[in-house]
Amino acid sequence: MKLLVTGGAGYIGSHTCVAAFAAGHEITVLDNLCNSSPEALERVERICGKKPRLVVGDIGDRACVRALLDAEKFDATIHFAGLKAVGESVEKPWEYYENNIAGTLVLLDELRRHGVFNFVFSSSATVYGNPDPANLPLREDAPLAALSPYGATKLWLEEMMRAMAKADPRWHFMLLRYFNPVGAHESGLIGEDPGGIPNNLMPYITQVAVGRLKELTIFGRDYPTPDGTCVRDYIHVCDLAEGHVAALAKVADLPGCTAINLGTGCGTSVAQLVASFEKATGRPLPHRYGERRPGDAAACWADATKARELLGWVAKRDCDAMCRDAWRYQSMNPDGYRRG
Ligand code: NAD
Ligand code: UDP
């Protein structure tokens, strides 16, 4: 297929380019590089022997999107482009609504004008809000809620896509709800490259391990979980990338709008992840226990049955592989792509 991949220079996008090339697809990336580097696509070329075409532009720039769609006929879009920091979205809600919602509406409008109706959307487990423990593992029909402006952008875009699919049967939407993507390509060439001090657990861990940060604070050890630390469904980014390829193979066959969890179906606690990481590096990771982080759910993991049944996809890589690969990338690129 000829694919338009928005946000394809980013963390999940670049890994998906590798998986999509392996499956024989052609790729054009549309990315404004607000949170990524074109170096990521150079690295994709080192892994795959070919490079996605990069169009530097904004999904909300109608003239840019139109010119791109006038010039190339795509079979499907994978839409990664968006701002994704929960805390920042609380500080700057307008920027999140404008970038993620207004931008996506321009993109969708131009796609329909150009007859490109197969659309794979990066949604998130954040749409489940703070899940009721009775609903674990989370199925796609669990109640939805937004706890931040970021979460609201995912929830509202999902809602818009459901309505658009209902109104116009030419649309085929896949709403892929990612759980906690971590890790990196096994080559160590591409991985997560957060600017500033990371908010997420795995990049924080790897930056402590590489000496950029002093120690990890584990937020809370009094949760109602087996070891008192929060439980999440960490998924290797390469499994996630392969999930997109599986979704592409089915998107045109599934009518309307289909929400699918991409997770492993297993919960791992923060303390367990730290232990896996220590095993991967062979040395202790400096850490201490601190207060709970406001807003954190005690536990959140996926029921991954629908992905297996509809897409024939299951996550294959375990926590040890996630930690090993995250560490390999961080040690090969201690300062991310800047001086890697
Ligand atoms: P990322 O920041 O690495 O990638 C996003 C890419 O989109 C970046 O390259 C950025 O430059 C680009 N971008 C942002 N706004 C744009 C715009 N208006 N026009 C063009 N390009 C734009 O993030 P990621 O972790 O790869 O996440 C990809 C998608 O997956 C996001 O939509 C995110 O919300 C979603 N998601 C991520 C996670 C996670 O933990 N990483 C979890 C659930 C969902
Ligand atoms: N976490 C932590 N210390 C950190 C960052 C995160 O203990 O420096 C915990 C956090 O409380 C949560 C888990 O790690 O329980 C995953 O957090 P992350 O922000 O990566 O993802 P979330 O599930 O919150 O989207």
Side-chain angles (χ1 to χ4, degrees), residues 300-323:
C300 177
W301 73 94
D303 181 327
T305 310
K306 195 170 171 188
R308 190 184 68 234
E309 288 180 354
L310 281 187
L311 307 181
W313 170 90
V314 286
K316 299 191 212 96
R317 297 159 178 91
D318 64 12
C319 268
D320 289 349
M322 298 176 208
C323 292

Side-chain angles (χ1 to χ4, degrees), residues 86 180 198-202 204 216-220 223 230-232 234 270 293 296-297:
V86 173
N180 288 59
N199 296 308
N200 294 111
L201 179 60
M202 184 63 98
Y204 205 102
L216 171 74
T217 302
I218 296 181
F219 299 139
Y223 284 98
C230 290
V231 169
R232 294 288 182 275
Y234 297 97
V270 178
R293 184 171 69 176
D296 273 345

Side-chain angles (χ1 to χ4, degrees), residues 1-328:
M1 282 189 204
K2 271 192 95 164
L3 302 179
L4 172 61
V5 180
T6 75
Y11 171 46
I12 304 171
S14 55
H15 289 82
T16 301
C17 286
V18 171
F21 270 149
H25 298 300
E26 270 180 62
I27 304 169
T28 297
V29 165
L30 173 63
D31 199 307
N32 65 7
L33 304 178
C34 70
N35 195 39
S36 54
S37 160
E39 175 65 18
L41 300 182
E42 305 291 335
R43 304 283 182 95
V44 168
E45 184 176 23
R46 278 169 66 186
I47 296 167
C48 301
K50 52 187 167 178
K51 193 165 99 179
R53 177 177 167 230
L54 172 63
V55 175
V56 178
D58 196 294
I59 52 163
D61 177 348
R62 188 177 288 274
C64 164
V65 176
R66 184 172 291 172
L68 172 56
L69 295 178
D70 281 345
E72 273 191 77
K73 173 77 186 134
F74 294 101
D75 300 302
T77 306
I78 311 183
H79 180 35
F80 295 107
L83 302 176
K84 61 162 185 175
V86 173
E88 184 186 58
S89 81
V90 175
E91 306 294 318
K92 299 179 180 175
W94 187 87
E95 282 74 6
Y96 273 67
Y97 300 146
E98 138 103 334
N99 192 77
N100 293 7
I101 296 187
T104 301
L105 290 182
V106 170
L107 175 69
L108 288 171
D109 191 31
E110 287 302 321
L111 287 170
R112 68 178 176 174
R113 287 166 191 269
H114 288 81
V116 186
F117 287 104
N118 296 321
F119 195 87
V120 176
F121 176 53
S122 293
S123 189
S124 166
T126 190
V127 299
Y128 296 116
N130 203 330
D132 182 339
N135 289 327
L136 293 172
L138 288 161
R139 284 164 38 121
E140 288 79 356
D141 55 6
L144 304 180
L147 301 181
S148 68
Y150 167 69
T153 68
K154 295 297 180 195
L155 193 58
W156 295 345
L157 284 170
E158 280 203 359
E159 201 49 49
M160 289 174 199
M161 289 174 201
R162 273 188 283 274
M164 287 169 67
K166 213 167 166 186
D168 184 344
R170 289 174 300 172
W171 280 111
H172 299 262
F173 289 109
M174 284 243 193
L175 315 176
L176 300 183
R177 295 179 180 157
Y178 314 155
F179 279 68
N180 288 59
V182 296
H185 189 263
E186 61 177 11
S187 63
L189 288 170
I190 54 173
E192 192 166 8
D193 188 22
I197 297 176
N199 296 308
N200 294 111
L201 179 60
M202 184 63 98
Y204 205 102
I205 288 178
T206 58
Q207 292 198 14
V208 169
V210 86
R212 268 169 76 175
L213 296 169
K214 196 167 132 279
E215 67 178 359
L216 171 74
T217 302
I218 296 181
F219 299 139
R221 66 186 314 184
D222 58 350
Y223 284 98
T225 58
D227 63 21
T229 65
C230 290
V231 169
R232 294 288 182 275
D233 187 340
Y234 297 97
I235 173 170
H236 194 297
V237 66
C238 293
D239 278 324
L240 192 64
E242 288 164 10
H244 288 76
V245 173
L248 283 171
K250 291 285 157 64
V251 63
D253 298 335
L254 291 171
C257 196
T258 312
I260 301 183
N261 289 336
L262 293 185
T264 63
C266 300
T268 302
S269 74
V270 178
Q272 284 173 322
L273 196 72
V274 169
S276 268
F277 193 85
E278 289 178 328
K279 190 168 128 196
T281 57
R283 45 180 217 243
L285 183 87
H287 65 275
R288 67 178 190 93
Y289 287 89
E291 294 296 304
R292 289 183 178 196
R293 184 171 69 176
D296 273 345
C300 177
W301 73 94
D303 181 327
T305 310
K306 195 170 171 188
R308 190 184 68 234
E309 288 180 354
L310 281 187
L311 307 181
W313 170 90
V314 286
K316 299 191 212 96
R317 297 159 178 91
D318 64 12
C319 268
D320 289 349
M322 298 176 208
C323 292
R324 207 169 46 237
D325 292 340
W327 173 236
R328 186 183 299 110

